[in-house]
Amino acid sequence: MYVCICNGVTDHQIREAAQSGVASVSELTMRTGCGATCGSCLDMAADLLAKARSVDLPLPVLGLAQVA
């Protein structure tokens, strides 16, 4: 789905940016152009970025760690 129609930025691109280390909306704007024109997409972009960054990755190896 298009989040930023002005610059053609999709939700997929925002999730990819989060996975590559983008941590703030201003950095997202610099990397993708999202919100750089009219800014009406910034709330949705911020929500998507926050959700993408908060995904807990399963780390089954941690369950195997022994406590000394």
Side-chain angles (χ1 to χ4, degrees):
M1 142 183 93
Y2 282 97
V3 175
C4 178
I5 295 171
C6 296
N7 295 304
V9 181
T10 65
D11 60 326
H12 181 72
Q13 290 171 299
I14 293 172
R15 283 193 292 279
E16 283 181 340
Q19 289 175 352
S20 69
V22 170
S24 67
V25 175
S26 59
E27 188 178 358
L28 181 69
T29 300
M30 288 188 293
R31 291 208 187 179
T32 65
C34 184
T37 304
C38 78
S40 65
C41 61
L42 288 175
D43 287 340
M44 181 184 286
D47 288 343
L48 287 169
L49 183 62
K51 286 178 186 173
R53 290 191 46 81
S54 70
V55 172
D56 292 328
L57 300 176
L59 298 174
V61 173
L62 294 179
L64 301 174
Q66 295 180 3
V67 178

